[in-house]
Each structure stands twice: as structure tokens, then as C-alpha cells.
Amino acid sequence: MTLKLCAAFVLSLIFAVAFGKVYIPWLRKMKAGQSIKEIGPNWHMSKQGTPTMGGVLFIGGTALACLTVGFVSMIRGNWVHIGILVFAMVFGAIGFLDDWEKLRHHENTGLTAGKKFLLQLAAALVFILLMRYIGVTTPNLYIPFTGVTVPLPEWLYISFAAFVIVGTVNAVNLTDGLDGLASGVSLPVCLFFVAVTFVWGENYLEQGIFASALLGGLVGFLTYNFYPAKVFMGDTGSLFLGGAIAAMAFAYDMPMILLTIGIIYIIETITDLIQVGVFKLSHGKWGFYDAYNGRRVFRMAPFHHHLEKGGWFGHKWKETEIWALFVGISTLFCVISFIWVKSRYHI
């Protein structure tokens, strides 16, 4: 098992690094540059034109590793890793359509929110129904930090699962706002699932192959995506990544663990929801920051932009400082989560 997990990691890493040397120059040649929103931090305008859709690097690496390292499992009839891969790629395809619309119109608005939501919801429902059909997940909700398992009616579990999946995908997408941020924060999340595979045993080998492959792909991608980024993952990458993380949580039959290992995604989402909610409800009547006839709780949302604009003790955080802070928090919560769940199926 150890050999296969290591092989998946190395193969995906090598693919992402090697293919990036060809793919990124090709993106520049095709003028597949990112359009930066004018309402964002003004210093981000320097990123205008940086190639996007770089998520193909870790998507390709993950797919290659799953199909090769996981080939024996497929022959034996174990296709869980392929199911996770296909599901994540469906979300990646939705992201690709979004990126394509942005590039075609040369602006940072792609598919409408309604279209994206419906496509994501349909994908989530198909995936969770498939996982239930093959028996990978159960409608019994495992609460990691208590050891309690709560049985849910089938309809409630399906509804819950769809909500969690769509929410996770969009939360990861929100986190992708600084160089290397979404990929960096997701490294300890993938490592968490790999570590769980080691202690839970062979029954989770296929899930572990996928997690290890994605981990390797992200490390390879980060060599190009870390500040200053030579390429962005785009919605192609962020939606794939969000779909992959959500799918792994369900494939390991512990979706509630996303509350802790996904703490950064949650913080980013909550700050954005608070900002939008207060702005729309206040109409300039109350709040902290006045702009566009409305009030704002944060200098800018999501939270990484708030820090950039001096939202913590007046200190304007650099991108690398925010990266280190967020990755550190993500790592801490993943370690805590691992300590609490490792004994569930200890072999």
C-alpha cells in the first residue's frame, strides 16, 4: 500500500512539473490571460494577463496517477478512485466553461450564478446517489470529535450531501484569490486523507491513491503558482479541487470532517456572506465601512482581501504572509482532525 501511495504522489508531481514547462508557454501564446476585477485590490491589476486554466496541471497529474497506479484495483473491480476523479472532472468541466466564457468576453464574468448552481447541484446529486448505490457511503452521519454516528433518513442525507458538496466547491473557489492560496491550503487537506488511509488500512486504498495523486499534482502546480504566480488554476482548477475534496470526504464516509479540515474555506465563505448580507441589508444605515451607499463589516471580502487591505491591527499583510498564515491554520486543524478520527477503523 505504501508503495502505491508514494508512486501516485511522485507520478502526479512529475507530470505537473514537466507538463507545466510546455503548457504555460502555450497558454501565453494563446493569450489565455486572467482578467482582474476592477473592484478588487488595485495592486492586483499587475496580475492582469497571467495565464489561467493552470489547474489542468494537477488535474492531468491526478488522472494519470489514478489510471496507472490504480489500474490493478480497477481490474479487481474497485473503481472508487475513478468515481472520485470523474466527479471532480465534471466540476472541472463546469469551471472550464466558466473560464472559457471569461476569456471569450475578455472580462472576469463567466457563466451566470444560476447556471453554475444548477450544473453543480446536478453533479452532486448524481455522485452521492452513485456512492450510495455502490455502498461506499452510508446515511449514518459520523461526528468525528464525539465518536457518535447519527442515522439519517435517506432523503435527508441526500439533501445534506448535495448542500455540503456544492458549498465546499464554491468555498474552495472563493479561497482561490491570492497566488498559491487555494493550492497551498489544500495540501494539508490531501495529506490528511493520505494519512487516514495508512491507519484505516487496505479498504481505503483506492481513496488513498486519489488523495496522494492530488497531493503530488498540487505540489507540482505550486511550483508555478506560488507568489509571484506564473499561472493561475482558474475555475477549471478550483472547481475540480473543491469537487475532489468534497468527494473524498464522502468517499471516506465522514463529510462532517470538512468543518475542521476545511476551516479556511469556511472562514473565507462566512466573511463573504457577512459582507454581502450586511451590505444589502444596511443600505448605508449601519456598519463599519461606507462604500457604494452601503456598509461593510470587512475592508474587502473574502477574508484574505481584508488582511491585504490592513484589516488586522492596521497591518497590510503581504500575499506570502497570508499564505503562510492560512496554510499554517489549515495544517493545524488537519492534524487535530487526524488525531480524532484515526482510531475509527484502526487496523
Side-chain angles (χ1 to χ4, degrees):
M1 181 174 72
T2 301
L3 182 61
K4 286 187 176 182
L5 296 182
C6 289
F9 173 84
V10 172
L11 185 59
S12 184
L13 169 62
I14 292 174
F15 176 89
V17 173
F19 187 53
K21 294 184 180 299
V22 177
Y23 180 62
I24 295 173
W26 180 79
L27 286 175
R28 290 198 195 98
K29 184 179 179 181
M30 294 293 104
K31 298 185 187 239
Q34 176 74 48
S35 297
I36 305 298
K37 287 185 178 181
E38 294 182 1
I39 61 173
N42 53 19
W43 54 89
H44 279 206
M45 295 307 294
S46 62
K47 302 174 186 285
Q48 186 91 12
T50 301
T52 188
M53 291 194 288
V56 168
L57 299 181
F58 59 80
I59 294 172
T62 303
L64 177 63
C66 284
L67 292 170
T68 53
V69 179
F71 184 71
V72 173
S73 293
M74 293 161 61
I75 292 177
R76 293 172 178 171
N78 298 321
W79 290 70
V80 176
H81 58 304
I82 301 301
I84 299 172
L85 174 65
V86 171
F87 172 73
M89 290 186 76
V90 168
F91 275 94
I94 296 171
F96 175 80
L97 292 175
D98 199 37
D99 283 333
W100 178 253
E101 286 296 306
K102 293 174 184 176
L103 292 173
R104 193 161 67 94
H105 297 291
H106 301 288
E107 58 185 16
N108 200 17
T109 53
L111 296 175
T112 63
K115 285 181 181 178
K116 280 197 285 190
F117 174 76
L118 290 176
L119 288 171
Q120 291 173 5
L121 181 62
L125 288 171
V126 170
F127 172 76
I128 200 62
L129 288 171
L130 177 63
M131 290 294 101
R132 286 291 299 118
Y133 177 75
I134 63 178
V136 173
T137 63
T138 68
N140 302 318
L141 203 59
Y142 172 62
I143 314 297
F145 294 92
T146 65
V148 174
T149 300
V150 179
L152 297 179
E154 194 74 34
W155 67 269
L156 182 57
Y157 179 79
I158 298 298
S159 302
F160 163 79
F163 171 79
V164 170
I165 291 171
V166 173
T168 301
V169 169
N170 287 286
V172 174
N173 182 247
L174 267 178
T175 307
D176 183 35
L178 297 180
D179 294 3
L181 191 59
S183 48
V185 165
S186 300
L187 290 179
V189 175
C190 293
L191 188 56
F192 164 82
F193 287 117
V194 174
V196 168
T197 302
F198 275 110
V199 297
W200 283 9
E202 291 282 344
N203 289 339
Y204 291 87
L205 173 61
E206 286 71 39
Q207 291 94 320
I209 288 173
F210 180 89
S212 190
L214 181 56
L215 178 64
L218 286 175
V219 172
F221 173 70
L222 199 55
T223 62
Y224 300 108
N225 185 232
F226 190 72
Y227 182 87
K230 298 179 181 67
V231 68
F232 299 139
M233 68 170 66
D235 281 0
T236 304
S238 63
L239 266 61
F240 173 93
L241 184 57
I245 290 170
M248 284 191 290
F250 280 94
Y252 282 86
D253 201 21
M254 52 174 179
M256 292 296 289
I257 202 65
L258 289 169
L259 290 172
T260 49
I261 65 171
I263 186 65
I264 294 297
Y265 311 136
I266 293 172
I267 290 172
E268 293 280 78
T269 303
I270 289 176
T271 54
D272 195 62
L273 291 173
I274 290 173
Q275 186 85 326
V276 172
V278 168
F279 180 78
K280 289 186 175 181
L281 292 173
S282 67
H283 299 293
K285 295 176 183 178
W286 46 277
F288 294 103
Y289 297 102
D290 190 3
Y292 306 107
N293 298 318
R295 302 286 178 170
R296 296 174 184 245
V297 176
F298 305 99
R299 292 182 185 273
M300 183 174 287
F303 193 59
H304 59 259
H305 287 326
H306 177 65
L307 296 180
E308 274 192 293
K309 299 196 75 168
W312 201 338
F313 305 114
H315 171 63
K316 290 188 176 181
W317 290 63
K318 298 177 182 177
E319 289 195 44
T320 49
E321 292 175 330
I322 297 171
W323 187 92
L325 175 68
F326 280 24
V327 172
I329 293 172
S330 180
T331 301
L332 174 62
F333 275 79
C334 284
V335 170
I336 294 172
S337 301
F338 175 73
I339 292 171
W340 278 95
V341 306
K342 69 183 179 66
S343 61
R344 185 185 183 192
Y345 300 124
H346 186 63
I347 305 300

